Amino acid sequence: MSGARSVREDQQQGALRARVDAVLQEFTRRESAEFVAVDADLLPVAEQLAAAVAGGKRLRAAFCYWGWRAGGQPDSDALVKAAAAIELVHAAAVVHDDLIDESSARHGRPTAHIALRSACAGRTRSTAGGRSLAMLAGDLLMSWAGQLFTSCGLPAAYLSRARGLWAVMARELIAGECLEILRTGGRPDTASSLQVIRYKTAKYTVEHPLHIGGALAGVSDSVMKTFTAYGLPLGEAFQLRDDLLGLFGDPERTGKANLDDISGNRPTALLAQTWSAATAAERAELDGLLGRSDLDDDALLRMRAIMQRTGAPARVEEMITRRTQEAVDAIGRADLPACAADALLHLVGSAAARQS
C-alpha cells in the first residue's frame, strides 16, 4: 500500500473511530443516568461503566463496518451504532477478564474490581464487594451491547439476519474464557494455547464482527468464507502479538504489567513455545516462577532470558507473519469492493503490527 493511501486509510479509520466514540459516549451517558436514577449510591458503578467504555482502538467496530461495506452497502449511521455495540461486548469482556485474572491495573488506572472497593469501604468484605460490583458491571455492559445493537435503527429484517451470529459470538467468547481458566496452570502446550486464542480473542475480535456486518449487509456465502479465511488468522495474530507485548512491550503503552501472564501462569503460545525448547534445568526454573504473585524485575529479566535462549519470541513472530500473510492472501483472492478491500488490508497492520 502506497504512503499516500496509507495516510488516507489512517484518516478514514480515525474518522470512523471518532464516530464510534461519539455513539458510545452518548449511549453510556444516557444509560448511566437511568441507572443512577434508581439510587445515588450507584454512582461509583456508573463511573466504572463509563471508564470501561472509554478509549480503545475500536478495531471490532471497524471490522463490523467494513463487513457491511464489503456487501456494497453505503455508509450508515445506523450501522455505526450496530458496530459500536460490539465494543460494549469487548468492554464487558475486559471487566470480566480483569476480575478473573485479578489484575490490579489497566492503562495506568485501577481495574474495575479494584476501583469499586472504595464503594464498599468501611465494611468487612470490601474486596469481595468490589469484585461482586465489577462482575455485575460487566454483566450490564453485555446487556447494553444487545440493547444498542437492536435499537441501532437498521430495519428489523436486516437485524434478523445477524441475530444468530450475535449468539454465536457470545457463546464462543465465553467458551474461550472458560477454556483459559480450565487450562491455566496446566502443562504448556501450543495447540491448546492456540485453541484458547481462537475462541477467546480471534473470533470475537475479527471474524465475528466481520460476519455480523456482512450478515446485516446480506453478503453471499462466498464473502462470509472470505471473512473467515481473513479473520481467523488475523485474530490469532492479534493475540499472539498481545502475548509478545505482554512480556516484552512497554507497560506504559500496553496498559498492563510485563509479569501479568507469568504471575497468572496463563496458557499463552509464547510460554508453550518456551517450554517446548527449554532444558530440564530451565523447566525447573520456570516451574519456580510461574504462578507466583511476588515476582520482581530480576524474575522478569530471567524469564525473558530463558525465552530468548529458546528462540520462542522469534517463533511466535514467525507465527504472526504466517497468519498476517494468510489474511492478506484471503483479501487478494476475493472480489470485494475496492474501498472495503483496501480498508481490510490496512487493518492487518493495525491488528498485528501494533505496539500497544
Side-chain angles (χ1 to χ4, degrees), residues 68 76 78-79 149-150 152-163 216:
W68 164 268
S76 163
L79 188 280
F149 185 75
T150 56
C152 68
L154 288 173
Y158 286 34
L159 293 173
S160 68
R161 295 196 292 250
R163 189 170 293 119
L216 291 170

Coordinates of all heavy atoms in Angstrom, one line a residue, residues 68 76 78-79 149-150 152-163 216:
W68 N -19.9 -4.7 6.5 CA -21.1 -4.1 5.9 C -20.7 -3.5 4.5 O -21.4 -3.8 3.5 CB -21.6 -3.1 6.8 CG -22.6 -2.1 6.3 CD1 -22.3 -0.8 5.8 CD2 -24.0 -2.1 6.3 NE1 -23.4 -0.1 5.4 CE2 -24.5 -0.9 5.7 CE3 -24.9 -3.1 6.7 CZ2 -25.8 -0.7 5.5 CZ3 -26.3 -2.9 6.5 CH2 -26.7 -1.7 5.9
S76 N -23.4 4.3 6.8 CA -24.7 4.4 7.5 C -24.5 4.6 9.0 O -23.7 3.9 9.6 CB -25.4 3.0 7.3 OG -26.4 2.8 8.3
A78 N -26.7 4.2 11.2 CA -27.3 3.1 12.0 C -26.3 2.0 12.1 O -26.3 1.3 13.1 CB -28.6 2.7 11.3
L79 N -25.6 1.7 11.0 CA -24.6 0.6 11.0 C -23.5 0.9 12.0 O -23.0 0.0 12.7 CB -24.1 0.3 9.6 CG -23.2 -0.9 9.4 CD1 -21.8 -0.7 9.9 CD2 -23.8 -2.1 10.1
F149 N -27.4 -2.7 19.9 CA -27.4 -3.4 18.6 C -28.9 -3.4 18.1 O -29.1 -3.1 16.9 CB -26.9 -4.8 18.8 CG -26.8 -5.6 17.5 CD1 -25.8 -5.3 16.6 CD2 -27.7 -6.6 17.1 CE1 -25.7 -5.9 15.4 CE2 -27.6 -7.2 15.9 CZ -26.6 -6.9 15.0
T150 N -29.8 -3.8 18.9 CA -31.2 -4.0 18.5 C -31.9 -2.7 18.3 O -32.9 -2.6 17.6 CB -32.0 -4.9 19.4 OG1 -32.0 -4.3 20.7 CG2 -31.5 -6.3 19.5
C152 N -30.3 0.1 17.0 CA -29.4 0.9 16.2 C -30.1 1.7 15.1 O -29.6 2.7 14.6 CB -28.3 0.0 15.6 SG -28.9 -1.1 14.3
G153 N -31.3 1.2 14.6 CA -32.0 1.9 13.6 C -32.0 1.2 12.3 O -32.7 1.7 11.3
L154 N -31.3 0.1 12.1 CA -31.4 -0.7 10.9 C -32.7 -1.4 10.8 O -33.3 -1.7 11.9 CB -30.3 -1.7 10.9 CG -28.9 -1.2 10.6 CD1 -27.8 -2.3 10.8 CD2 -28.7 -0.5 9.2
P155 N -33.2 -1.7 9.7 CA -34.5 -2.4 9.5 C -34.5 -3.8 10.3 O -33.4 -4.4 10.3 CB -34.7 -2.6 8.0 CG -33.8 -1.5 7.4 CD -32.7 -1.3 8.3
A156 N -35.6 -4.1 10.8 CA -35.7 -5.4 11.5 C -35.3 -6.6 10.7 O -34.7 -7.5 11.2 CB -37.2 -5.6 12.0
A157 N -35.6 -6.6 9.4 CA -35.2 -7.7 8.5 C -33.7 -7.8 8.4 O -33.2 -8.9 8.4 CB -35.8 -7.4 7.1
Y158 N -33.0 -6.7 8.5 CA -31.5 -6.7 8.5 C -31.0 -7.3 9.8 O -30.1 -8.2 9.8 CB -30.9 -5.3 8.3 CG -31.0 -4.7 6.9 CD1 -32.1 -4.9 6.1 CD2 -30.0 -3.9 6.5 CE1 -32.2 -4.4 4.9 CE2 -30.1 -3.3 5.2 CZ -31.2 -3.5 4.4 OH -31.3 -3.0 3.2
L159 N -31.6 -6.8 10.9 CA -31.1 -7.3 12.2 C -31.4 -8.8 12.4 O -30.6 -9.5 13.0 CB -31.8 -6.5 13.3 CG -31.4 -5.0 13.4 CD1 -32.3 -4.3 14.4 CD2 -30.0 -4.9 13.8
S160 N -32.5 -9.3 11.8 CA -32.8 -10.7 12.0 C -31.7 -11.6 11.3 O -31.5 -12.7 11.8 CB -34.2 -11.0 11.4 OG -34.2 -10.9 10.0
R161 N -31.1 -11.1 10.3 CA -30.0 -11.9 9.6 C -28.8 -12.1 10.5 O -28.0 -13.0 10.3 CB -29.6 -11.2 8.3 CG -30.7 -11.1 7.2 CD -30.1 -10.8 5.9 NE -29.6 -9.5 5.8 CZ -30.1 -8.5 5.0 NH1 -31.3 -8.7 4.4 NH2 -29.6 -7.3 5.0
A162 N -28.6 -11.2 11.4 CA -27.4 -11.2 12.3 C -27.7 -11.8 13.7 O -26.7 -12.0 14.5 CB -26.8 -9.9 12.4
R163 N -28.9 -12.0 14.0 CA -29.3 -12.3 15.4 C -28.6 -13.6 15.8 O -28.0 -13.8 16.9 CB -30.8 -12.5 15.6 CG -31.2 -12.6 17.0 CD -32.7 -12.5 17.1 NE -33.2 -11.1 16.8 CZ -34.0 -10.8 15.8 NH1 -34.5 -11.7 15.0 NH2 -34.4 -9.6 15.6
L216 N -25.6 -8.3 8.2 CA -26.5 -7.1 8.1 C -26.6 -6.6 6.7 O -27.7 -6.1 6.3 CB -26.0 -6.0 9.0 CG -26.0 -6.3 10.5 CD1 -25.3 -5.2 11.3 CD2 -27.5 -6.3 11.0

